[in-house]
Amino acid sequence: MAGKSKGGKSKAKAQAEGQGVSVEPEVPVADVVEEAKPENGQVSEAPAADGGAADVEKVEGDAAVAAQAAEKPAEGELHLYPVTVKTQSGEKLELQLSPGDSVIDVKQFLLDAPETCFYTCYDLILHTKDGLAHQLEDYNEISEIADITTGGCTLQMIAATYDERSIRSHLRRVRELLSLSSLHVSLSTSLALQQESAQAKNADTGKTAGQELDGLNFMEDNTVALTSLLASAPAEIKCVDSIVFSSFNPPPSYRRLHGDLIYIDVVTLEGNKYCITGSSKSFYVNASNGSILDSRPLKQSHEASTLVGLLQNVSAKFNKGFREILDHKASAHPFENVQALLPVTSWLGAYPVQEHKRDAARAEDSVVLSYGTELIGMQRDWNEELQSCREFPHGNPQERILRGRALYKVTCDFVDAAVKGAVGVINRCIPPINPTDPECFHMYVHNNIFFSFAVDSDYEHISKDQKPDCQNGPGRSMPVPSPDLGAKADRDHADSSVALNSKTEEPNSVLEASAEAQIADSEQATYASANNDLKGTKSYQEADIPGLYNLAMAIIDYRGHRVVAQSIIPGILQGDKSDSLLYGSVDNGKKISWNEAFHAKVVEAANRLHVKEHSVLDGSGNPVKLAATVECKGIVGSDDRHYILDLMRVTPRDSNYIGLQHRFCVLRPELVASFVEVESTKKSPVQKVPDIPAELNGPESRDQHDSASDATAASVDKDDKSDESPAPTPAESNDSTVEILFNPNVFTEYKLAGSPEIAADEALVKKVGSYLLDTVIPKFVQNLCSLDVSPMDGQTLTDVLHSNGINVRYLGKVAGMIKHLPHLWDLFSAEIIVRSAKHVVKEILRQSPDHNIAPAVAHFLNCFAGKVLAASTKGSAGSTQSKTQKKLSPSASSRKGQSVYSHLTSDGVWSDIKEFARHKYQFEVPDDARVGAKKIAVLRNLCQKVGVTIAARKYELNSAAPFQPSDILNLQPIVKHSVPTCTDARKLMEAGKIRMAEGTLNEAYALFSEAFSLLQQINGPMHKDAANCCRYLAMVLYHAGDIAGAIVQQHRELIINERCLGLDHPDTAHSYGNMALFYHGLNQTELALRHMSRTLLLLSLASGPDHPDVAATLINVAMMYQDASNMSTALRYLQAALTKNERILGPDHVQTAVCYHALAIAFSSMGNYKLSVQHETKTHGILVKQLGSDDSRTKDSENWLKTFKEREKQVNAQKQKDPLLQAHPGLYQAVQAAAIKYGDGSANVKKSLNAAVVGEGVPRGRGVDERGAKATAEVRKKAAARGVHLRNGPAANRVSELNHILNLINSAASASSASPTANTQRTESEGPQSNGPALNGAKEAKDTNRLSAKVDGQAPVGLGASLELKKQKSKQKA
C-alpha cells in the first residue's frame, strides 16, 4: 500500500491510495512556504484533493515565490524533503520532513498516519544514500544525524521490546483508536457533505422556506434553540465487544522471567473469548481456559507485534470495523481529529441523557485515576521543567519556536494536572500538609503542585463562630509555597488589618458593618488578590528578564471554592529556609529584606512594566530602595534560582477606589500602557514610527503614534486590543515611553520616603485614575452607542472592557451612561445581576454536601428564574437572615440536611443580588430585572460563570419552578491560567493587517501564512490565535477573488472556534455568518442559508433576539432570499430587521436608515419604485437629521432618491402608453422584475447589496475584525489626508447606470473596509465615518464585482500576475 505524506511540525498527512484514506496535515506547510498565492487548492471537505492542487499552484506562483523570497522574513520558514518510511508490516509511505524535525516529531507524524497509527513501540533506523544506517534517539533532530536534503534517505521501523509502561500506553492507544469520542465533527462540515450528496442526487432544492421559518422562530422563542445547539453524537462503530485487563494480572514471578508483562481478556464481535498475553516482544493468544492460567500460545499464527495486528488475525469483524473507523476519521477535517490542550466547557448537556452502559475499560481508567499524577514512574517536577524551558536559548526564530513550544506544552500539562488536583482537594481526596491548622488555612501538596484556598487573612476576625467553617468563605490569595512564610504572612497581615472593614471610605456607597457585609467584602478581596497575582505573574513572564523566575500558576473555581495552584520552589518545603527571603517583606513592611543582585533584576523588569524605583521605610524607619511592592517576595530556591512571588500589585492602585476595603483595586495593565502611550506622545511631538518586526507591538504602535495626538485617539487604538491580545502588559510599548514610571506603593498603608517625590507619584497615579474616568470610559461609551464596539454576551463584554483598560468594577458606572439604548442596558444589567448571583450560588455550593449539589443548584435556578415562595411564614423573613444564621451555625444546617438551600426564596435571592450589586457595582438593580432574567442568554451566562451544565431541553421559564434536579448534569471547574502566548506570531499578524489595509494582498497573505505556521508549530492548531489567522487568510483570499480558498480558511477558523471558544460563542456565530457569505459568493445560496440559520440560532442563545447584530443578520438572510428571487420572504426578513432596529436603536438611528435603504433596494428590484421612493425618503430624512445634509452619505441617499424617482416616472410613462399595463399594474412590475433578473444590469445592485450587507452579520466588537477594520480605516484616512489613493480591491467588470452611482458612492465613502468581516463593522460600527446606506453602496460596488466574477462563470481573481492586471484596471478607473 503506497502513500504520500506531507508533514510540518505537529502533524503529518498520509494517504493510502488503495483505500482512499487521507489525513490532511495540521501544519499546512505547503500553504505557508511553497505557495505565495492565496489559492491553496485545499478543499476542506475533500482533503485528498490537496496533493494535486499544490503542484498546479506551484507552477502558477513560481514568479511570486521568487519575488517574495527576498522580502519575506525567515521566521517559521520550512523546507521539506521526501523521506520513504518502511513500516513494521513491510508497507511503504512517504513523509515530507524538515531537517529541523526531531525524532519525536517523526513518531508523531507516524502516529497520525492511518497505516502506522497503531504502532507505539519501535525504533527508527535512518538509511542514508551512502549505505550507512543510523539509530535515531527520541530527542535528536534529524539534521544532527544525517543530511536528508541530499535525497535518497529511508526510515525503517524496527519493533522494539515492550516494558510495563510502554505496553500499558500501547493498550491505551488501541482503546483511543477504537473510539470516535475524540472526533468532533463541525455542523458546517456536515452541512457541506449533505449539500454535496443532495446535489449528486439532484434533490429538490425548494426547501429553503423551512429554513426561513426556523430562523424567525429562533428569534421569537429561543428556548427551542437549546434543543438544536448540540449535534447528535456520532454512532459508535463497534470493532470488538470488550478489551479489559484480565484478572490473571499481575503475571506470576515465574512468568515474568519469560517476559510476560500483562494479560488482556478480549471478547470479539463473533462471540469468541480470548486471553491474550502481552510479553516484552509480542502479543499472542494463550491457552488459558476458565480460572487457570495457561501461558502457552494457543496457535502459532495468533501472534503479532501489536494488539491491533493480533485482533485483525483472530476476528474478521474487527478488521472490517477498524477499517471503517479509520475511513471515518480520515473523511473528517483534520482539525476535527486534533485534541485541544485547553478544552472549553459546555453549559449544555445532551438531552435526553444517554444511557450509561457497562464498560469495564472505562471503569478501570476511573479506578486508577490519581488526580493528575502519572500512573507509572515518577511525578513530574513542574518547576524544573518550566524553568528549564525558560532557560532555552531564544536568539533566532528556530530557537524561539522550540522554546515557545516547550513552554506552551509544559504550561498546558501543568494546568491540566492542577485542575485535577484542585478538584481532588475540594472533594477531600487529598490530605493537607498542615492538618492541625484551621480548615481554611490548609495547604496541600500533590503531584509536585502546591494548593491553597484563597483565604482572606482578616476573615477569621469577623466572627469567632465561623472559625470552624472558615473554608466556606475563601479569602485573600497570597499563597506562598512555604507553610512557615505563608502562615506567617497571613497572620501578620491579619493583625495589621483588623479594622479593615470597620472603615468605610467607599466613595459611592456606604455599607453597614454587619457580619454579612464583611464576609462579602472579604470574599471580594480574596477574588481580587488571586486575580491580581495571576495578572502580575503574566506581566513578569512577558517581561522575560533573564535570571528572574516566576512560578507556574492557575486559579481553579469549583463548588464555590477558589483554589490557587502553583509549582513549588525547590527546597522551600524542606528544612529551615530563614535565609531564603532575599527581597520584600513577609510581615507587612516591618522588616524589609534587600539584595543588590536581586534588586538589579527587579529594576530591569520594573522598567519594562512602568514601575518606579522608590524608597520605603521599614518598621524601624530605615529607607529601603524597592522596584516592586512591599509585599512581593524575592526568594532564592535550593536550585539557586531567584524567584519573585506575590505580584498582586504590578500596576498602581486605582485612585478612584482608595481605602483599606479597596486595597486590591488596581488599574489594568492595558490602561497603564494606553496612558503611557498618550503621555509620551504629548511629550515628544516628533513621533517615531517603529519598523514592523522591531517592536513587540509594531504595527499597533504605529497606529497609536500616528493617531495619539490627543488622549481620546490613543484610547481608541487601545480599544482595538480586544480578543487579539487579551492581556497586553505595559511591557508591550516603545522604548521612548520608559520615563513614565509609577510607584506601586502610593495610596497603601506602607510608609514612603521623600515627601515631594511621594506627592508627584500620587499625582501621577491620580492622573491615570482621572484619565480612566474622563477619557477612556466616555470614549468607550461613545463607541458602544455608535456600535463601534458591540459586545454580545457577558464574556465578550468583559473582554472588550478589559481590552479598553476598564475594570469590571466600573460596570455600574458604564451602565448608567447607556440607559437610552435598550440592548446595551439589558446586556450590562444582566451581567451585573449574573455576577452578583454567582456569589449567592457559590455560597450555597460551598455549604451543600455532595448528595445535595444537584437539588441545591436546581432550587437556586428556580428562585432566580422562577417564583419560589417561602415554605412557611417563618422562612419568609428573607434569605439574607437565614443565610447568616446558617453561616454562624454550620453544624445545625448539616444536621437538617436540606436546610442549606431550602430556606431560599425568590424574594430572598433577589434581595441578596440587589444588595451585592449595590455594594460592588454601585448599581441599583431595576424592579423589572426579574422579568428580564427569564432569558436563555442570562441563564447561559450564569451557568458558564459557575460551571453548571444543564440538560439541553425546552424550559418553561415563565413557570414557578422550571428546573428539576435531574436537569443539572454536571458541575465543572472554571480555570484561569498563565499559559504563554506567541508574540512573534502576533507581530506578524499586526504587520499583515497593515498590509491588508494598504491593499498589498500578496504581502498580507505571506505574513498571515507565516504567523499561522508559527502558531501551529508552537501551540498547535487548536488555539484562538490560529483561528484569528485563518479568518484573516480567508479575508485576503476573498478580496483576491479566490472564494473557494477563502472557504477553506474560514472552515478552519470555524472548527477552531467551536473547539476553543465553544459551540455558541459569538465568534463561532460570526464564523458561520462568514461561511454563509462565502458560500453565497459561490452561488450556493441554499448552503449559505443553512449557515445563516445556524448563525441566528447561536446569536439567539448568546445575546437574545434584541441585538443589532441579529437585525444585521436578518438583513443578510433577506438579501440571500432576494438573490434567489424569493421576494416575499426577503421582505419579511427586512421588515423584521427594521422593527428590531427601531425598537433597539430608535426610529432615527443610522442603522434604522440602513434598513429603510435595504427595503428601498428590494422594492426597486421588484419594480415597485413608488415604495422605493417612500423608503429612501425616510432614509434621507434620518441621515439629514443625524449627519447633516453635507455628509457624503446623505448626498448618496439623494442620488438613490433621484434614481428611484426617475425610474418611477419611466414606469408611469410606460403605463400611460400601454392601456393593458394601466389596467393591470402588477403585470408591469412582474415584467420589470423579470427584466432586472435577466440582464437589466441593476441585478448587480441586488447582488452587490447582498454582498455588502451580508458583511454586517459579521462581528463588531471582536478583537481581530474590529482591529482589522480600524487599521484599514486609519490607513485610508491618513492616505486621503496626504492625497494618496489606496486601491480598494478588484475593479468592476461591467458598469451599469446604477453601478456608476455606486462607484461614485464608493469614492465618496473615504474609508472602506478591507474585509467582508470588517464591512460589518464599517457599516454598523464605524459611526460617523460609515454608518449609512452610502457605504452599503460602496460595498455593493466592490463586493458585487467579486461575486459576479464567480456568477458569470469567470475564473476567480487570484494573486501573483493577476494582481498587476487589477492595479492597471484600478488606475484606468481612477
Side-chain angles (χ1 to χ4, degrees):
M1 197 194 312
K4 181 179 179 183
S5 181
K6 288 183 181 178
K9 273 285 181 188
S10 61
K11 271 286 187 188
K13 173 184 171 194
Q15 184 178 343
E17 289 172 357
Q19 295 180 0
V21 178
S22 73
V23 178
E24 195 183 42
E26 283 183 14
V27 180
V29 179
D31 288 3
V32 180
V33 181
E34 293 172 15
E35 323 164 45
K37 12 178 321 188
E39 302 111 322
N40 52 17
Q42 283 183 326
V43 178
S44 35
E45 284 74 44
D50 175 70
D55 300 332
V56 180
E57 290 159 11
K58 197 170 186 321
V59 174
E60 290 177 354
D62 275 344
V65 174
Q68 281 190 43
E71 301 170 12
K72 202 171 151 185
E75 279 188 58
E77 191 166 336
L78 292 176
H79 294 288
L80 301 180
Y81 304 92
V83 176
T84 303
V85 180
K86 187 179 179 185
T87 69
Q88 285 175 243
S89 58
E91 295 171 299
K92 288 187 178 178
L93 70 152
E94 189 176 88
L95 288 183
Q96 298 285 339
L97 298 180
S98 157
D101 285 332
S102 70
V103 178
I104 286 184
D105 290 329
V106 178
K107 287 190 172 181
Q108 182 63 46
F109 303 157
L110 294 169
L111 207 57
D112 295 322
E115 303 95 327
T116 53
C117 61
F118 47 86
Y119 294 112
T120 63
C121 188
Y122 56 87
D123 292 322
L124 282 174
I125 309 292
L126 180 64
H127 298 277
T128 53
K129 195 163 57 173
D130 52 13
L132 294 175
H134 305 269
Q135 171 117 8
L136 303 184
E137 298 294 333
D138 278 356
Y139 291 95
N140 285 347
E141 282 191 11
I142 294 176
S143 56
E144 296 170 8
I145 294 112
D147 183 10
I148 61 168
T149 60
T150 56
C153 293
T154 57
L155 280 171
Q156 185 179 4
M157 298 169 69
I158 304 290
T161 55
Y162 291 101
D163 55 33
E164 200 159 334
R165 182 187 180 89
S166 60
I167 205 162
R168 288 188 185 211
S169 63
H170 180 81
L171 182 59
R172 199 176 300 124
R173 173 63 178 167
V174 171
R175 284 176 175 169
E176 278 174 19
L177 286 172
L178 299 184
S179 167
L180 287 175
S181 60
S182 61
L183 185 64
H184 305 268
V185 178
S186 166
L187 177 72
S188 180
T189 311
S190 310
L191 288 176
L193 293 172
Q194 286 168 18
Q195 179 79 357
E196 209 173 286
S197 58
Q199 285 175 346
K201 294 173 188 173
N202 293 322
D204 178 24
T205 55
K207 295 177 185 173
T208 50
Q211 300 263 317
E212 164 255 318
L213 291 174
D214 281 350
L216 285 181
N217 285 346
F218 290 146
M219 293 298 104
E220 296 307 318
D221 178 14
N222 58 9
T223 53
V224 180
L226 288 182
T227 58
S228 313
L229 176 67
L230 301 176
S232 55
E236 281 293 331
I237 300 171
K238 288 282 278 184
C239 299
V240 68
D241 200 45
S242 71
I243 300 180
V244 293
F245 287 109
S246 171
S247 50
F248 286 130
N249 285 308
S253 55
Y254 61 89
R255 285 306 306 166
R256 278 186 177 276
L257 300 178
H258 289 85
D260 289 10
L261 296 173
I262 201 169
Y263 301 120
I264 305 163
D265 286 336
V266 173
V267 181
T268 64
L269 292 179
E270 290 90 347
N272 300 325
K273 295 181 180 178
Y274 297 104
C275 183
I276 293 173
T277 298
S279 72
S280 55
K281 59 185 175 64
S282 65
F283 291 85
Y284 63 86
V285 178
N286 62 41
S288 301
N289 195 6
S291 58
I292 306 296
L293 174 70
D294 183 348
S295 55
R296 293 171 303 164
L298 189 63
K299 289 183 185 174
Q300 205 57 45
S301 62
H302 289 177
E303 184 171 5
S305 63
T306 64
L307 183 56
V308 167
L310 176 62
L311 292 172
Q312 284 174 328
N313 288 340
V314 300
S315 168
K317 287 187 177 177
F318 175 89
N319 211 354
K320 177 174 177 286
F322 187 61
R323 190 178 292 114
E324 275 182 40
I325 283 181
L326 290 184
D327 287 352
H328 192 77
K329 287 186 175 180
S331 69
H333 191 284
F335 285 7
E336 293 169 346
N337 277 304
V338 185
Q339 296 308 301
L341 286 178
L342 298 167
V344 68
T345 54
S346 172
W347 68 282
L348 283 179
Y351 183 84
V353 179
Q354 291 179 337
E355 294 168 332
H356 193 65
K357 297 179 181 174
R358 287 181 183 274
D359 184 344
R362 183 186 63 231
E364 277 167 11
D365 287 343
S366 72
V367 168
V368 296
L369 173 70
S370 54
Y371 296 101
T373 58
E374 297 200 19
L375 303 184
I376 299 172
M378 291 179 61
Q379 296 182 345
R380 291 174 69 171
D381 186 341
W382 299 107
N383 189 71
E384 184 56 37
E385 284 189 42
L386 186 73
Q387 312 311 347
S388 301
C389 291
R390 288 203 180 125
E391 288 167 351
F392 279 10
H394 47 284
N396 61 48
Q398 194 58 39
E399 287 177 349
R400 284 200 292 277
I401 288 171
L402 291 173
R403 179 181 189 249
R405 182 166 44 168
L407 273 172
Y408 183 74
K409 181 72 170 69
V410 170
T411 315
C412 288
D413 288 352
F414 169 82
V415 171
D416 186 52
V419 171
K420 289 174 181 169
V423 170
V425 164
I426 293 166
N427 288 338
R428 299 179 294 284
C429 300
I430 295 168
I433 58 176
N434 55 337
T436 56
D437 284 353
E439 195 176 350
C440 53
F441 293 122
H442 279 177
M443 291 177 273
Y444 306 80
V445 173
H446 179 74
N447 193 11
N448 280 327
I449 300 174
F450 176 84
F451 297 94
S452 60
F453 285 100
V455 176
D456 201 323
S457 47
D458 61 348
Y459 185 86
E460 55 189 342
H461 296 283
I462 293 171
S463 166
K464 284 186 292 184
D465 297 331
Q466 288 167 267
K467 226 178 203 181
D469 193 35
C470 56
Q471 187 181 342
N472 289 340
R476 181 169 157 277
S477 166
M478 189 159 70
V480 183
S482 151
D484 301 323
L485 289 177
K488 190 168 188 292
D490 274 335
R491 287 178 185 41
D492 287 339
H493 191 79
D495 295 336
S496 70
S497 53
V498 175
L500 189 70
N501 284 298
S502 57
K503 276 174 82 176
T504 18
E505 299 175 36
E506 189 168 343
N508 298 322
S509 76
V510 177
L511 210 73
E512 59 184 23
S514 62
E516 183 79 16
Q518 292 180 31
I519 288 166
D521 244 358
S522 71
E523 182 173 328
Q524 280 318 294
T526 177
Y527 276 35
S529 61
N531 287 336
N532 290 354
D533 200 3
L534 185 65
K535 278 187 286 195
T537 302
K538 282 183 182 175
S539 296
Y540 272 82
Q541 272 178 13
E542 289 173 22
D544 205 9
I545 304 300
L548 193 62
Y549 297 89
N550 298 101
L551 302 179
M553 181 179 179
I555 297 173
I556 298 98
D557 288 315
Y558 180 62
R559 279 184 63 172
H561 299 283
R562 172 162 285 194
V563 169
V564 178
Q566 291 173 311
S567 56
I568 299 172
I569 295 179
I572 203 159
L573 294 178
Q574 292 88 32
D576 177 27
K577 286 285 163 189
S578 55
D579 59 342
S580 64
L581 183 72
L582 296 183
Y583 199 76
S585 170
V586 293
D587 54 8
N588 256 19
K590 290 174 187 170
K591 181 185 175 188
I592 300 175
S593 303
W594 193 85
N595 173 282
E596 188 171 351
F598 203 104
H599 181 68
K601 292 170 187 166
V602 177
V603 167
E604 192 181 343
N607 286 334
R608 299 192 190 183
L609 300 170
H610 305 298
V611 174
K612 181 179 181 180
E613 188 182 15
H614 57 283
S615 294
V616 180
L617 300 176
D618 63 11
S620 311
N622 302 318
V624 182
K625 258 201 176 327
L626 292 179
T629 53
V630 174
E631 72 268 14
C632 91
K633 294 163 191 63
I635 293 177
V636 60
S638 58
D639 56 357
D640 286 332
R641 292 189 180 107
H642 287 178
Y643 295 89
I644 186 163
L645 10 150
D646 287 351
L647 304 166
M648 287 168 286
R649 290 192 292 111
V650 170
T651 51
R653 282 284 297 272
D654 186 346
S655 60
N656 303 314
Y657 285 82
I658 291 179
L660 275 174
Q661 74 272 30
H662 300 304
R663 65 194 180 285
F664 294 115
C665 293
V666 298
L667 299 171
R668 288 199 61 84
E670 297 91 341
L671 181 79
V672 172
S674 169
F675 177 78
V676 167
E677 191 72 48
V678 173
E679 289 299 306
S680 60
T681 308
K682 287 179 185 173
K683 289 183 181 179
S684 56
V686 180
Q687 294 161 9
K688 168 185 146 191
V689 178
D691 296 331
I692 283 154
E695 296 290 337
L696 255 171
N697 217 8
E700 177 113 358
S701 300
R702 174 188 297 185
D703 271 7
Q704 289 165 352
H705 275 302
D706 288 352
S707 64
S709 54
D710 59 19
T712 322
S715 74
V716 179
D717 281 302
K718 277 294 153 195
D719 295 355
D720 298 352
K721 282 208 162 203
S722 62
D723 286 353
E724 183 70 11
S725 49
T729 65
E732 300 184 12
S733 55
N734 286 331
D735 296 336
S736 62
T737 62
V738 291
E739 68 274 5
I740 298 174
L741 303 172
F742 299 93
N743 182 340
N745 287 316
V746 296
F747 300 120
T748 61
E749 61 270 32
Y750 307 116
K751 294 177 182 173
L752 304 176
S755 49
E757 204 175 329
I758 296 171
D761 291 345
E762 288 183 351
L764 186 61
V765 171
K766 282 181 177 172
K767 191 173 181 184
V768 194
S770 358
Y771 170 69
L772 173 61
L773 285 180
D774 303 338
T775 303
V776 175
I777 290 180
K779 180 63 185 172
F780 176 65
V781 169
Q782 183 186 329
N783 290 342
L784 284 171
C785 296
S786 66
L787 302 183
D788 199 5
V789 289
S790 183
M792 300 205 61
D793 65 349
Q795 184 57 54
T796 47
L797 174 61
T798 306
D799 289 345
V800 80
L801 279 167
H802 285 170
S803 66
N804 282 273
I806 302 169
N807 305 79
V808 170
R809 61 177 168 271
Y810 287 97
L811 266 175
K813 180 171 183 62
V814 179
M817 301 166 75
I818 45 87
K819 283 184 177 177
H820 58 288
L821 289 175
H823 74 284
L824 289 174
W825 173 253
D826 288 349
L827 178 66
F828 275 80
S829 57
E831 180 66 8
I832 292 171
I833 288 165
V834 165
R835 284 177 174 271
S836 305
K838 175 179 73 172
H839 293 279
V840 181
V841 76
K842 281 185 172 184
E843 175 72 31
I844 298 165
L845 285 171
R846 279 199 289 272
Q847 302 200 18
S848 296
D850 294 2
H851 56 273
N852 263 350
I853 289 179
V857 172
H859 184 79
F860 171 81
L861 290 176
N862 286 333
C863 292
F864 181 73
K867 180 67 179 170
V868 177
L869 300 173
S872 65
T873 50
K874 264 185 200 173
S876 63
S879 94
T880 307
Q881 185 187 345
S882 59
K883 266 173 63 187
T884 309
Q885 289 167 354
K886 287 202 300 283
K887 287 176 188 168
L888 297 178
S889 54
S891 53
S893 67
S894 58
R895 280 198 302 274
K896 292 183 184 176
Q898 257 198 331
S899 63
V900 171
Y901 64 86
S902 59
H903 288 90
L904 287 179
T905 64
S906 292
D907 290 344
V909 163
W910 278 93
S911 162
D912 287 348
I913 289 171
K914 288 179 179 180
E915 184 184 343
F916 191 95
R918 193 179 305 121
H919 167 56
K920 168 76 175 168
Y921 301 108
Q922 295 83 53
F923 180 80
E924 289 295 333
V925 174
D927 295 331
D928 61 350
R930 288 171 70 167
V931 180
K934 296 178 188 295
K935 288 180 180 173
I936 291 296
V938 178
L939 178 67
R940 168 183 176 270
N941 194 355
L942 180 61
C943 289
Q944 286 177 332
K945 282 185 167 57
V946 183
V948 173
T949 301
I950 60 172
R953 70 174 181 86
K954 184 174 179 180
Y955 292 98
E956 293 296 335
L957 292 179
N958 290 317
S959 65
F963 299 93
Q964 303 300 321
S966 59
D967 292 327
I968 311 302
L969 302 184
N970 199 1
L971 191 61
Q972 303 171 93
I974 305 296
V975 190
K976 296 181 178 180
H977 49 70
S978 58
V979 174
T981 53
C982 178
T983 50
D984 283 354
R986 286 191 169 173
K987 285 189 284 181
L988 287 166
M989 285 167 69
E990 294 296 335
K993 283 185 275 188
I994 295 290
R995 296 289 177 267
M996 188 166 70
E998 292 170 349
T1000 52
L1001 297 182
N1002 263 359
E1003 292 173 34
Y1005 183 81
L1007 288 163
F1008 290 135
S1009 298
E1010 200 175 325
F1012 187 63
S1013 169
L1014 271 180
L1015 287 165
Q1016 292 248 49
Q1017 293 173 69
I1018 292 171
N1019 303 331
M1022 287 300 129
H1023 193 279
K1024 63 180 182 180
D1025 284 351
N1028 293 341
C1029 259
C1030 290
R1031 177 158 69 249
Y1032 276 116
L1033 284 166
M1035 289 180 196
V1036 173
L1037 289 162
Y1038 176 81
H1039 285 300
D1042 180 9
I1043 299 178
I1047 286 176
V1048 174
Q1049 296 293 350
Q1050 188 60 46
H1051 188 206
R1052 285 176 174 170
E1053 190 231 0
L1054 192 153
I1055 293 169
I1056 300 170
N1057 278 343
E1058 283 191 333
R1059 299 281 303 287
C1060 293
L1061 300 176
L1063 290 175
D1064 57 348
H1065 191 278
D1067 281 15
T1068 310
H1070 293 311
S1071 296
Y1072 274 99
N1074 285 6
M1075 283 294 280
L1077 165 69
F1078 297 150
Y1079 276 127
H1080 188 60
L1082 287 181
N1083 224 19
Q1084 298 189 26
T1085 304
E1086 186 180 351
L1087 192 52
L1089 283 168
R1090 287 175 183 271
H1091 280 76
M1092 272 301 178
S1093 177
R1094 180 73 172 178
T1095 305
L1096 284 172
L1097 182 147
L1098 299 183
L1099 292 181
S1100 73
L1101 286 176
S1103 67
D1106 293 330
H1107 194 279
D1109 278 21
V1110 174
T1113 308
L1114 293 177
I1115 296 177
N1116 303 345
V1117 178
M1119 293 303 151
M1120 290 182 179
Y1121 279 115
Q1122 185 175 326
D1123 223 36
S1125 301
N1126 187 344
M1127 293 308 299
S1128 59
T1129 307
L1131 287 174
R1132 284 174 56 202
Y1133 272 86
L1134 285 174
Q1135 197 57 50
L1138 176 62
T1139 308
K1140 212 172 276 298
N1141 271 342
E1142 284 185 329
R1143 185 171 71 247
I1144 300 169
L1145 303 170
D1148 292 334
H1149 196 278
V1150 177
Q1151 282 307 304
T1152 311
V1154 170
C1155 290
Y1156 278 121
H1157 177 68
L1159 278 162
I1161 295 284
F1163 285 124
S1164 78
S1165 67
M1166 295 168 68
N1168 192 334
Y1169 293 107
K1170 184 176 181 182
L1171 284 173
S1172 288
V1173 170
Q1174 285 178 15
H1175 285 81
E1176 194 59 42
T1177 305
K1178 288 183 178 175
T1179 304
H1180 185 254
I1182 295 171
L1183 293 178
V1184 169
K1185 186 173 180 180
Q1186 295 294 332
L1187 307 172
S1189 53
D1190 294 335
D1191 190 271
S1192 59
R1193 281 156 295 167
T1194 313
K1195 291 179 178 175
D1196 296 326
S1197 178
E1198 280 178 34
N1199 291 340
W1200 280 106
L1201 203 49
K1202 287 175 188 170
T1203 307
F1204 294 144
K1205 285 178 178 174
E1206 287 294 323
R1207 290 293 173 98
E1208 191 184 8
K1209 284 179 186 171
Q1210 291 173 15
V1211 170
N1212 292 336
Q1214 268 320 102
K1215 281 182 188 174
Q1216 286 166 5
K1217 286 180 188 173
D1218 194 330
L1220 178 65
L1221 292 177
Q1222 214 166 0
H1224 302 281
L1227 180 62
Y1228 181 80
Q1229 288 176 13
V1231 172
Q1232 184 75 4
I1236 288 172
K1237 184 178 176 187
Y1238 297 111
D1240 183 25
S1242 55
N1244 282 344
V1245 176
K1246 188 173 64 173
K1247 174 73 77 177
S1248 57
L1249 182 70
N1250 173 17
V1253 186
V1254 165
E1256 296 180 7
V1258 184
R1260 303 180 313 264
R1262 290 200 296 160
V1264 182
D1265 294 336
E1266 184 187 335
R1267 295 171 80 184
K1270 287 190 174 180
T1272 307
E1274 287 299 322
V1275 171
R1276 293 195 185 288
K1277 255 195 288 185
K1278 291 165 200 163
R1282 295 193 299 267
V1284 179
H1285 178 68
L1286 291 176
R1287 56 186 174 280
N1288 215 5
N1293 295 329
R1294 55 180 184 260
V1295 183
S1296 67
E1297 174 193 354
L1298 277 176
N1299 264 0
H1300 183 62
I1301 295 173
L1302 295 178
N1303 288 334
L1304 291 174
I1305 295 168
N1306 195 11
S1307 58
S1310 60
S1312 176
S1313 175
S1315 75
T1317 304
N1319 278 344
T1320 304
Q1321 288 150 309
R1322 308 285 307 148
T1323 311
E1324 297 183 285
S1325 331
E1326 292 272 310
Q1329 274 189 359
S1330 57
N1331 257 336
L1335 189 58
N1336 273 343
K1339 289 183 297 187
E1340 287 165 27
K1342 285 196 320 183
D1343 293 342
T1344 304
N1345 302 328
R1346 293 189 195 103
L1347 297 183
S1348 58
K1350 281 286 183 192
V1351 175
D1352 297 342
Q1354 298 174 12
V1357 183
L1359 295 182
S1362 56
L1363 192 62
E1364 294 307 313
L1365 188 63
K1366 287 191 299 181
K1367 287 182 190 173
Q1368 290 164 16
K1369 281 187 182 178
S1370 58
K1371 280 179 191 168
Q1372 289 166 11
K1373 294 278 291 180

